[in-house]
Amino acid sequence: MTTERNDNDAGAAAPSNFIRHIIDEDNRTAKWGGRVETRFPPEPNGYLHVGHAKSICLNFGIARDYSGVCHLRFDDTNPEKESVEYVDSIVDAVRWLGFDWEKDGKAHRYYASDYYDDLYRFAELLIERGKAYVDSQSAEEMRLARGSLTEPGKPSPYRERSPEENLALFRRMKAGEFKEGEHVLRAKIDMSSPNVNMRDPVLYRIRFAHHYRTADQWCIYPMYDYTHCISDALEQITHSLCTLEFEDHRPLYDWILNELADAGVFTRPLPQQIEFSRLNLTYAITSKRKLLQLVTEGHVDGWDDPRMPTIVGLRRRGFTPEGIRLFCERIGVTKVDSWIDMSVFEGALRDDLDDKAPRTAAVLDPLKLIIDNFPADLIEHCTAPVHPHHPERGVRTFPISRELWIERDDFVETPPKGYFRLYPGNKVRLRYGYVVECTGADKDEHGNVVAVHCNYYPDSKSGTEGANTYKVKGNIHWLSAAHAVPAEVRLYDRLFKEAQPDAGGRDFLEALNPESKRVVNAYLEPGAHALQPEDRYQFERHGYFVVDHYDSKPGKPVFNRIVSLRDSWGKPG
């Protein structure tokens, strides 16, 4: 089976990587009969971030390219931290990124809590076969007896309990007869294993906590390492893709499934765990704990703050699903951890937006420009392309009048060398409009410029024959003051000023960028008041912006800067 794409992203073959090589070989040998089933198994204890986006694109993308299916499974075995809110946010994030979990009319959406009865039954089976036991040590005693990377662990004094005694204790645990921490169920493997994860890991613990799906039905809950591999097998997953931190857990994954296969529960071949490098993105934090800290301590405006690397934050910032998928494709899939610079992420977004974003004019730091010889009651119209590279998308029309708004930095009284914009005696072209000559400026009592004056040349309008007779070096943006739409514009930048905010165990909050959010009152082309939430535009000269889908109101648009026109981070201005 080939790995040609069958979606609308591109017509080229999918990029090759070591995971696809494994799948190609499995298909060649008919290991799974040509079947490819992957899974994306988030825990619903927080909002997904850009690192999850890489896993989503990988798991769902591979299933798509091999005409298989990717399961969406919620790893909900930790009742204290999980909720329906997080489940809903995960569903929305996966769908927004352009993926789904349906095949042949069946929705492959699952929950680990769906398998609680099976997981408990399999645990009893392991106890009966002498492969698991109830340990009555305290958590601290187990920690001390576990050993280290250089010293073997010490067997629990309860390790040799009989299967009958273990089974009775485990059933009493399930019945709620013991306190939290009084007993745990452990796998009976090898306390001297060089892999610490194989030193009799805990399979079940007691938790008197209300579960958002099973309510108070259970007071014992399975551990992730026990649950995950069994969930894969129950769902007949072929390739279980996870990040490199689970590489040392793979022997336990295989041990549990092989023991249950030997007991006749599962048939071989069993799901194969394959690890890949996680996404480490500069100028970002992806630790759920630290992201939660940013929210709870008020350093950001919530999980969907446009500076956050959460998928809801990226969406509100204006990132596109296509741009995120392009980024994940470009960084590829390897087994080597590395850091990806934020500029790569932003570059993929620019490449996606450049072709699709309509153009418009905006003035973010307004200064009044008065054309003294323009009749006070005259209004003319100028035209500009909706997109300079797509004439078929038409033109936009906007008025010019006697009083305009221009950018404040488009005028200086004493120009530096190489400055071609407005200063007394200099000529510039009003983009898509007339050539004007600056005649001076008005100042307030503090010496601040409050208005600039100029005269225009009536035969110099862009698109007319006379325009060609005027040769000027400067070309500035403008808006008619009487017709421009006032708007709030939020200029977002990177949340951290250091590439690796928490490197070396330092306090990541010390690396917060105080200039990561700046709010300005701006003016936009007429018609901006009619834009819809999540409409994206290129503000000519300024960058790409999106209509905020929460705070924009009819007639009162709010825009978020998605990204600037080019990468200038850390470079001299």
Side-chain angles (χ1 to χ4, degrees):
M1 181 181 294
T2 62
T3 60
E4 293 293 319
R5 291 176 181 269
N6 55 19
D7 69 345
N8 294 323
D9 274 359
S16 181
N17 58 56
F18 75 96
I19 294 176
R20 292 178 184 270
H21 293 163
I22 292 172
I23 296 174
D24 288 340
E25 179 62 16
D26 288 344
N27 286 339
R28 188 190 66 81
T29 60
K31 178 180 179 180
W32 300 98
R35 186 169 58 88
V36 174
E37 295 199 29
T38 59
R39 82 292 165 273
F40 174 62
E43 181 181 359
N45 66 345
Y47 286 82
L48 301 185
H49 53 65
V50 64
H52 294 111
K54 175 181 178 180
S55 182
I56 291 170
C57 291
L58 176 62
N59 279 287
F60 283 91
I62 280 181
R64 173 201 64 204
D65 293 344
Y66 285 91
S67 300
V69 63
C70 179
H71 298 191
L72 176 62
R73 182 202 310 144
F74 295 95
D75 170 39
D76 55 354
T77 59
N78 190 2
E80 291 101 330
K81 298 181 179 181
E82 299 159 356
S83 71
V84 173
E85 173 190 356
Y86 295 135
V87 169
D88 291 344
S89 73
I90 290 168
V91 168
D92 288 345
V94 174
R95 282 181 170 154
W96 179 73
L97 282 171
F99 301 103
D100 65 59
W101 41 91
E102 294 192 9
K103 184 173 178 63
D104 298 330
K106 179 180 179 180
H108 292 271
R109 174 173 166 178
Y110 305 101
Y111 298 80
S113 53
D114 289 338
Y115 309 131
Y116 279 176
D117 288 330
D118 288 327
L119 292 162
Y120 177 80
R121 179 167 55 89
F122 298 157
E124 284 200 347
L125 183 59
L126 290 174
I127 292 171
E128 292 169 353
R129 292 171 62 83
K131 300 297 184 179
Y133 65 97
V134 174
D135 194 348
S136 305
Q137 294 183 99
S138 68
E140 179 64 14
E141 287 172 330
M142 283 190 286
R143 186 187 67 79
L144 293 173
R146 198 180 187 201
S148 66
L149 295 175
T150 57
E151 297 179 352
K154 298 177 181 178
S156 165
Y158 306 100
R159 196 173 193 266
E160 299 307 321
R161 279 173 165 160
S162 68
E164 293 76 16
E165 184 180 4
N166 284 317
L167 196 58
L169 284 169
F170 189 51
R171 288 172 176 172
R172 292 177 64 192
M173 288 170 59
K174 178 178 180 290
E177 296 184 22
F178 303 113
K179 298 177 182 178
E180 289 188 10
E182 202 167 343
H183 303 287
V184 296
L185 181 69
R186 298 178 71 177
K188 192 173 185 180
I189 306 179
D190 182 3
M191 288 301 295
S192 62
S193 172
N195 186 338
V196 178
N197 295 294
M198 299 296 283
R199 296 179 187 175
D200 292 9
V202 173
L203 303 182
Y204 268 88
R205 77 284 200 203
I206 300 171
R207 286 288 185 276
F208 290 97
H210 184 84
H211 191 281
Y212 75 102
R213 292 189 76 236
T214 61
D216 300 314
Q217 180 181 351
W218 294 86
C219 63
I220 58 172
Y221 289 93
M223 302 298 288
Y224 173 83
D225 280 341
Y226 175 69
T227 306
H228 183 65
C229 56
I230 292 175
S231 300
D232 283 350
L234 288 171
E235 295 174 22
Q236 296 186 304
I237 298 301
T238 58
H239 303 87
S240 182
L241 312 180
C242 58
T243 48
L244 280 174
E245 61 261 38
F246 293 101
E247 186 172 25
D248 290 340
H249 297 247
R250 192 195 326 143
L252 178 57
Y253 181 103
D254 293 339
W255 183 88
I256 292 171
L257 292 187
N258 277 303
E259 290 295 335
L260 292 175
D262 289 346
V265 173
F266 299 125
T267 59
R268 294 180 172 87
L270 298 166
Q272 179 181 359
Q273 177 175 306
I274 305 170
E275 305 86 18
F276 62 93
S277 61
R278 63 177 294 168
L279 172 59
N280 298 306
L281 188 65
T282 61
Y283 300 99
I285 290 287
T286 54
S287 159
K288 282 186 178 180
R289 177 181 62 82
K290 293 175 181 176
L291 292 175
L292 178 62
Q293 184 179 348
L294 288 171
V295 173
T296 57
E297 294 182 1
H299 301 289
V300 295
D301 302 325
W303 288 101
D304 65 346
D305 186 300
R307 295 166 292 180
M308 289 279 275
T310 54
I311 293 178
V312 288
L314 295 172
R315 180 176 181 177
R316 191 169 183 185
R317 177 73 172 263
F319 277 59
T320 62
E322 298 86 356
I324 295 174
R325 296 200 302 266
L326 177 61
F327 167 67
C328 291
E329 180 178 305
R330 285 180 175 177
I331 63 176
V333 180
T334 71
K335 288 187 72 73
V336 180
D337 275 329
S338 61
W339 284 88
I340 305 298
D341 194 82
M342 179 65 77
S343 62
V344 179
F345 195 15
E346 294 171 341
L349 184 63
R350 288 188 188 93
D351 288 347
D352 178 59
L353 289 172
D354 179 63
D355 187 66
K356 63 177 56 169
R359 274 40 171 178
T360 191
V363 175
L364 305 187
D365 188 10
L367 175 65
K368 185 66 67 70
L369 175 66
I370 302 171
I371 310 175
D372 292 317
N373 65 335
F374 199 96
D377 58 350
L378 178 63
I379 297 174
E380 293 194 22
H381 287 86
C382 300
T383 59
V386 171
H387 195 293
H389 306 307
H390 292 281
E392 72 279 4
R393 298 182 190 176
V395 298
R396 60 190 206 269
T397 302
F398 44 91
I400 187 170
S401 58
R402 186 171 187 268
E403 294 190 0
L404 311 176
W405 292 117
I406 63 170
E407 292 290 347
R408 187 167 297 274
D409 63 4
D410 280 344
F411 170 80
V412 294
E413 288 187 279
T414 305
K417 184 178 181 180
Y419 186 87
F420 300 117
R421 285 167 277 171
L422 282 172
Y423 56 88
N426 192 46
K427 296 185 182 70
V428 301
R429 176 171 292 282
L430 301 177
R431 187 169 170 84
Y432 308 120
Y434 292 97
V435 171
V436 298
E437 181 176 355
C438 180
T439 58
D442 298 333
K443 299 181 181 180
D444 62 16
E445 64 272 20
H446 303 293
N448 299 312
V449 175
V450 294
V452 178
H453 289 265
C454 67
N455 288 318
Y456 85 116
Y457 294 89
D459 60 345
S460 65
K461 189 176 183 182
S462 294
T464 66
E465 289 186 13
N468 296 328
T469 65
Y470 292 86
K471 305 299 181 184
V472 294
K473 294 184 178 180
N475 194 323
I476 67 172
H477 290 75
W478 56 275
L479 291 168
S480 169
H483 304 88
V485 176
E488 178 180 309
V489 175
R490 298 162 180 174
L491 301 173
Y492 288 107
D493 209 332
R494 300 179 186 182
L495 184 57
F496 296 97
K497 57 188 176 183
E498 300 289 338
Q500 298 179 29
D502 54 356
R506 65 181 174 182
D507 183 358
F508 71 103
L509 296 178
E510 295 178 359
L512 283 170
N513 176 15
E515 302 296 322
S516 62
K517 178 183 178 181
R518 186 163 59 92
V519 180
V520 299
N521 293 315
Y523 289 100
L524 276 66
E525 275 185 30
H529 62 276
L531 300 180
Q532 298 300 308
E534 295 198 59
D535 280 351
R536 299 174 182 85
Y537 278 79
Q538 184 194 107
F539 290 1
E540 294 175 333
R541 173 176 171 179
H542 295 297
Y544 296 97
F545 291 75
V546 66
V547 181
D548 187 273
H549 61 274
Y550 284 130
D551 294 336
S552 285
K553 300 292 186 294
K556 296 181 179 179
V558 176
F559 283 83
N560 301 327
R561 180 168 65 186
I562 309 171
V563 69
S564 59
L565 290 178
R566 61 185 61 84
D567 178 28
S568 59
W569 182 262
K571 298 175 183 177

